[in-house]
Amino acid sequence: MNETRIKQVYDIAVERYAELGIDVEQVLAQLQKIEISMHCWQADDIGGFESTGDLTGGIQVTGNYPGKARNMEELRGDILKAMSLIPGRQRLNLHEIYGDFGGKFVDRNEVEPCHFESWIEWGLEHGIKLDFNTTSFSHPKSGDLSLSNPDKAIRDFWIEHSVRCRAIAEYMGVRQGDPCIMNLWVHDGSKDITVNRMKYRELLKDSLDKIFATPYSNMKDCVESKVFGIGLESYTVGSNDFYIGYGAQNNKLVTLDTGHFHPTESVADKLSSLLLFVPEVMLHVSRPVRWDSDHVTIMNDETMDLCKEIVRCNALDRVHIGLDYFDASINRIGAYVIGTRATQKCLLQALLEPLTQLRQYEANGQYFERLALLEESKNLPWNAVWDMFCLRNNVPVSDSFISEVQKYEREVTSHR
Ligand code: RNT
Ligand code: ZN
């Protein structure tokens, strides 16, 4: 891409937006500050470094594109490569099973902050802040029920795991000088009609109370619901209602995964309700295709609506944006780049929305005018601003990241 052309087109876009009262430079400064929490698990199909066992817990990765990361070094290299093709600075979201266990087997109820020391050092070296997740799946004790298991020994095992994970997240937060967001999602559920739905939810609530007993100030807890898992289709203990209730009552962050709702439900619309009752929200931006399929995030209406709602709620400081998808059928580094850049593009368009004018129309009951401006906003020259954002951040403009991903594939991942 010709730099001079990018600049010329950008200048025209700046003028056009100025006519609508939008300060593009200010928007770019805002976008620059948003760090997206990239999920480490797209790099290796949620494998982790604990075992080579199967992925369980009702989630599934499909595809077998060659070159997936086989160890920590490869995974770190892939993530740095992806980040080098994405403008701005991002965070990295780790699962417990990605600990640096030094070749030894460390069970989930034995994990300690030291197992993440090398990650913390790596993060500090590269300016990448870490987020964290408990891991209830892919373990002999996972079964269908973990924190809500009627068997106290199994429940206690997962409580211990989660308690330890919080301590690790707190340690990460201290070391990076910024709170680590720790997400808790458990797969607990049942394949078929369940006749004691209350019982498991009581147990989950009780387990959570125990897990959250210690207050911390350098980590933030969030709880993630879902509709169903594979093989657990009829009942999900940690449903949306359950966690909204829990979060509201206990002042916990609620995680909204865009794949975890009924297909026509708007996740964007949830923000302005939730933010009135819970302190902050964590997002897992994903793309469900017919089900919670975790396809690569793209710039579609759902992601756009979500980003617009964050901005319209003036909640950029209360909504943490993370990604959660896993597609093993295409180049995995490319998948990171597409999904993260798509989310940023949606955020940019949200920030460039002529909101003052739109709200004026709305307040006046001028609904034709509101709809007309919403439609016209779609074809404002936001792409010229996006190209400039990439240029200033020294990352490939437009589709020129494709050849970078191909080069890395040729030189690195194809040799695995
Ligand atoms: C599963 C949840 C959860 C996982 C990750 C791996 O449906 O979305 O967030 O995808 O923890
Ligand atoms: Zn998720």
Short mmCIF file of all heavy atoms in Angstrom, two decimals, residues 41 46 55 57-59 93 95 133-134 137 183 185 224-226 228-229 255 257 260 284 292 294 324-326, ligand 1:
data_model
loop_
_atom_site.label_atom_id
_atom_site.label_comp_id
_atom_site.label_asym_id
_atom_site.label_seq_id
_atom_site.Cartn_x
_atom_site.Cartn_y
_atom_site.Cartn_z
N TRP A 41 -5.61 -20.16 23.51
CA TRP A 41 -5.97 -21.51 23.07
C TRP A 41 -6.30 -21.67 21.59
O TRP A 41 -6.48 -22.79 21.12
CB TRP A 41 -7.08 -22.09 23.95
CG TRP A 41 -8.31 -21.25 24.17
CD1 TRP A 41 -9.45 -21.27 23.44
CD2 TRP A 41 -8.53 -20.30 25.23
NE1 TRP A 41 -10.37 -20.38 23.96
CE2 TRP A 41 -9.84 -19.78 25.06
CE3 TRP A 41 -7.77 -19.83 26.30
CZ2 TRP A 41 -10.40 -18.82 25.92
CZ3 TRP A 41 -8.32 -18.87 27.16
CH2 TRP A 41 -9.61 -18.38 26.96
N ILE A 46 -6.82 -25.68 22.16
CA ILE A 46 -7.10 -25.89 23.59
C ILE A 46 -6.38 -27.12 24.14
O ILE A 46 -6.91 -27.85 24.99
CB ILE A 46 -8.62 -25.98 23.92
CG1 ILE A 46 -9.47 -25.17 22.91
CG2 ILE A 46 -8.90 -25.49 25.34
CD1 ILE A 46 -10.95 -25.14 23.22
N LEU A 55 -9.85 -33.45 24.52
CA LEU A 55 -10.56 -32.26 24.97
C LEU A 55 -11.96 -32.69 25.40
O LEU A 55 -12.70 -33.29 24.65
CB LEU A 55 -10.66 -31.26 23.81
CG LEU A 55 -11.45 -29.97 24.05
CD1 LEU A 55 -10.80 -29.13 25.14
CD2 LEU A 55 -11.55 -29.16 22.76
N GLY A 57 -15.51 -31.66 28.25
CA GLY A 57 -16.22 -30.52 28.83
C GLY A 57 -17.23 -29.90 27.88
O GLY A 57 -17.62 -28.74 28.04
N GLY A 58 -17.64 -30.67 26.88
CA GLY A 58 -18.71 -30.19 26.01
C GLY A 58 -18.29 -29.18 24.97
O GLY A 58 -19.13 -28.57 24.30
N ILE A 59 -16.97 -28.96 24.83
CA ILE A 59 -16.50 -28.05 23.78
C ILE A 59 -15.74 -28.88 22.73
O ILE A 59 -15.22 -29.95 23.04
CB ILE A 59 -15.61 -26.91 24.34
CG1 ILE A 59 -14.54 -27.44 25.30
CG2 ILE A 59 -16.47 -25.89 25.07
CD1 ILE A 59 -13.62 -26.38 25.87
N ASN A 93 -4.76 -14.14 27.35
CA ASN A 93 -5.63 -14.84 28.29
C ASN A 93 -5.21 -16.31 28.36
O ASN A 93 -5.32 -17.04 27.39
CB ASN A 93 -7.07 -14.71 27.78
CG ASN A 93 -8.10 -15.08 28.82
OD1 ASN A 93 -7.78 -15.29 29.98
ND2 ASN A 93 -9.35 -15.16 28.39
N HIS A 95 -5.17 -20.22 30.08
CA HIS A 95 -5.89 -21.22 30.87
C HIS A 95 -4.88 -21.88 31.80
O HIS A 95 -3.68 -21.92 31.50
CB HIS A 95 -6.51 -22.28 29.94
CG HIS A 95 -7.99 -22.23 29.89
ND1 HIS A 95 -8.77 -22.72 30.91
CD2 HIS A 95 -8.85 -21.74 28.96
CE1 HIS A 95 -10.05 -22.54 30.60
NE2 HIS A 95 -10.13 -21.94 29.44
N ASN A 133 -7.71 -18.19 33.54
CA ASN A 133 -8.93 -19.01 33.59
C ASN A 133 -8.69 -20.29 34.39
O ASN A 133 -7.65 -20.93 34.21
CB ASN A 133 -9.31 -19.51 32.18
CG ASN A 133 -9.68 -18.41 31.24
OD1 ASN A 133 -10.85 -18.15 31.02
ND2 ASN A 133 -8.69 -17.73 30.69
N THR A 134 -9.66 -20.68 35.17
CA THR A 134 -9.62 -22.02 35.75
C THR A 134 -9.90 -23.00 34.62
O THR A 134 -10.53 -22.65 33.63
CB THR A 134 -10.71 -22.20 36.84
OG1 THR A 134 -12.00 -22.02 36.22
CG2 THR A 134 -10.55 -21.19 37.96
N PHE A 137 -12.09 -28.69 32.40
CA PHE A 137 -12.28 -29.75 31.40
C PHE A 137 -11.00 -30.53 31.14
O PHE A 137 -9.94 -30.21 31.68
CB PHE A 137 -12.81 -29.12 30.09
CG PHE A 137 -12.01 -27.93 29.61
CD1 PHE A 137 -10.85 -28.09 28.86
CD2 PHE A 137 -12.41 -26.64 29.94
CE1 PHE A 137 -10.13 -26.99 28.43
CE2 PHE A 137 -11.68 -25.53 29.51
CZ PHE A 137 -10.53 -25.70 28.76
N ASN A 183 -11.37 -15.63 34.72
CA ASN A 183 -12.67 -16.14 34.32
C ASN A 183 -12.89 -17.53 34.87
O ASN A 183 -11.99 -18.37 34.86
CB ASN A 183 -12.74 -16.18 32.79
CG ASN A 183 -14.12 -16.53 32.28
OD1 ASN A 183 -15.10 -15.90 32.67
ND2 ASN A 183 -14.21 -17.52 31.42
N TRP A 185 -15.31 -20.57 34.16
CA TRP A 185 -16.37 -21.25 33.40
C TRP A 185 -16.23 -22.75 33.69
O TRP A 185 -15.14 -23.30 33.54
CB TRP A 185 -16.24 -21.03 31.89
CG TRP A 185 -17.11 -21.99 31.14
CD1 TRP A 185 -18.48 -21.99 31.08
CD2 TRP A 185 -16.68 -23.16 30.43
NE1 TRP A 185 -18.92 -23.08 30.37
CE2 TRP A 185 -17.84 -23.81 29.96
CE3 TRP A 185 -15.44 -23.73 30.14
CZ2 TRP A 185 -17.80 -24.99 29.21
CZ3 TRP A 185 -15.38 -24.90 29.40
CH2 TRP A 185 -16.55 -25.52 28.94
N GLU A 224 -18.78 -17.14 33.86
CA GLU A 224 -19.29 -17.27 32.47
C GLU A 224 -20.35 -18.36 32.37
O GLU A 224 -20.12 -19.51 32.71
CB GLU A 224 -18.12 -17.60 31.54
CG GLU A 224 -18.53 -17.78 30.08
CD GLU A 224 -17.38 -18.19 29.17
OE1 GLU A 224 -16.27 -18.51 29.68
OE2 GLU A 224 -17.58 -18.21 27.94
N SER A 225 -21.47 -17.99 31.83
CA SER A 225 -22.58 -18.94 31.65
C SER A 225 -22.54 -19.52 30.24
O SER A 225 -21.78 -19.08 29.39
CB SER A 225 -23.90 -18.21 31.81
OG SER A 225 -24.11 -17.33 30.70
N LYS A 226 -23.38 -20.51 30.00
CA LYS A 226 -23.65 -20.89 28.62
C LYS A 226 -24.99 -21.58 28.52
O LYS A 226 -25.65 -21.83 29.54
CB LYS A 226 -22.51 -21.72 28.02
CG LYS A 226 -22.33 -23.12 28.54
CD LYS A 226 -21.06 -23.75 28.00
CE LYS A 226 -21.15 -24.14 26.53
NZ LYS A 226 -19.90 -24.81 26.08
N PHE A 228 -25.60 -24.57 26.51
CA PHE A 228 -25.45 -26.03 26.55
C PHE A 228 -24.06 -26.41 26.07
O PHE A 228 -23.35 -25.61 25.44
CB PHE A 228 -26.48 -26.71 25.64
CG PHE A 228 -26.14 -26.59 24.18
CD1 PHE A 228 -25.47 -27.63 23.53
CD2 PHE A 228 -26.43 -25.45 23.46
CE1 PHE A 228 -25.11 -27.51 22.19
CE2 PHE A 228 -26.08 -25.33 22.12
CZ PHE A 228 -25.43 -26.36 21.48
N GLY A 229 -23.65 -27.62 26.39
CA GLY A 229 -22.41 -28.16 25.85
C GLY A 229 -22.72 -29.42 25.07
O GLY A 229 -23.80 -30.00 25.20
N THR A 255 -19.25 -12.66 32.63
CA THR A 255 -18.68 -12.83 31.28
C THR A 255 -19.79 -13.15 30.30
O THR A 255 -20.59 -14.07 30.54
CB THR A 255 -17.65 -13.98 31.28
OG1 THR A 255 -16.61 -13.67 32.20
CG2 THR A 255 -17.06 -14.19 29.89
N ASP A 257 -20.20 -14.56 26.69
CA ASP A 257 -19.61 -15.16 25.50
C ASP A 257 -20.68 -15.09 24.43
O ASP A 257 -21.81 -15.57 24.62
CB ASP A 257 -19.20 -16.61 25.81
CG ASP A 257 -18.54 -17.31 24.64
OD1 ASP A 257 -19.09 -17.24 23.53
OD2 ASP A 257 -17.48 -17.92 24.84
N HIS A 260 -22.90 -18.03 23.58
CA HIS A 260 -23.58 -18.75 24.66
C HIS A 260 -25.02 -18.33 24.88
O HIS A 260 -25.53 -18.40 25.99
CB HIS A 260 -22.79 -18.59 25.96
CG HIS A 260 -21.49 -19.32 25.94
ND1 HIS A 260 -20.69 -19.49 27.04
CD2 HIS A 260 -20.86 -19.96 24.93
CE1 HIS A 260 -19.62 -20.16 26.72
NE2 HIS A 260 -19.69 -20.46 25.44
N HIS A 284 -16.41 -12.50 25.81
CA HIS A 284 -15.74 -13.47 24.97
C HIS A 284 -16.35 -13.29 23.59
O HIS A 284 -17.44 -13.79 23.31
CB HIS A 284 -16.00 -14.91 25.45
CG HIS A 284 -15.10 -15.32 26.57
ND1 HIS A 284 -15.07 -16.60 27.07
CD2 HIS A 284 -14.16 -14.62 27.26
CE1 HIS A 284 -14.16 -16.67 28.04
NE2 HIS A 284 -13.61 -15.49 28.18
N ASP A 292 -22.92 -22.98 19.26
CA ASP A 292 -21.74 -22.38 19.89
C ASP A 292 -20.47 -22.92 19.24
O ASP A 292 -19.66 -23.58 19.88
CB ASP A 292 -21.80 -22.72 21.39
CG ASP A 292 -20.65 -22.12 22.19
OD1 ASP A 292 -20.09 -21.12 21.74
OD2 ASP A 292 -20.33 -22.68 23.26
N ASP A 294 -17.82 -21.50 17.88
CA ASP A 294 -16.53 -20.82 18.06
C ASP A 294 -15.77 -20.61 16.76
O ASP A 294 -14.57 -20.84 16.69
CB ASP A 294 -15.68 -21.56 19.09
CG ASP A 294 -16.25 -21.43 20.49
OD1 ASP A 294 -16.16 -20.33 21.06
OD2 ASP A 294 -16.83 -22.41 21.00
N ASP A 324 -12.77 -15.46 22.16
CA ASP A 324 -12.86 -16.89 22.48
C ASP A 324 -13.39 -17.65 21.28
O ASP A 324 -14.59 -17.74 21.07
CB ASP A 324 -13.77 -17.11 23.70
CG ASP A 324 -13.81 -18.58 24.10
OD1 ASP A 324 -13.00 -19.36 23.58
OD2 ASP A 324 -14.67 -18.94 24.93
N TYR A 325 -12.46 -18.12 20.46
CA TYR A 325 -12.85 -18.98 19.34
C TYR A 325 -11.70 -19.93 19.07
O TYR A 325 -10.57 -19.70 19.51
CB TYR A 325 -13.21 -18.15 18.09
CG TYR A 325 -12.14 -17.18 17.65
CD1 TYR A 325 -11.03 -17.61 16.92
CD2 TYR A 325 -12.22 -15.83 17.97
CE1 TYR A 325 -10.04 -16.72 16.52
CE2 TYR A 325 -11.24 -14.93 17.57
CZ TYR A 325 -10.16 -15.38 16.85
OH TYR A 325 -9.18 -14.50 16.45
N PHE A 326 -12.02 -21.00 18.40
CA PHE A 326 -10.95 -21.95 18.09
C PHE A 326 -11.29 -22.69 16.81
O PHE A 326 -12.14 -23.54 16.77
CB PHE A 326 -10.71 -22.94 19.23
CG PHE A 326 -11.85 -23.12 20.20
CD1 PHE A 326 -12.76 -24.16 20.04
CD2 PHE A 326 -12.00 -22.25 21.28
CE1 PHE A 326 -13.80 -24.33 20.95
CE2 PHE A 326 -13.05 -22.41 22.18
CZ PHE A 326 -13.95 -23.45 22.02
C1 RNT B 1 -16.80 -22.69 26.64
C2 RNT B 1 -16.45 -21.31 27.10
C3 RNT B 1 -15.08 -21.11 27.62
C4 RNT B 1 -14.05 -21.84 26.78
C5 RNT B 1 -12.64 -21.53 27.14
C6 RNT B 1 -11.68 -22.51 26.55
O1 RNT B 1 -18.01 -22.77 26.03
O2 RNT B 1 -16.72 -20.41 26.08
O3 RNT B 1 -14.81 -19.78 27.74
O4 RNT B 1 -14.21 -21.58 25.42
O5 RNT B 1 -12.52 -21.42 28.49
#
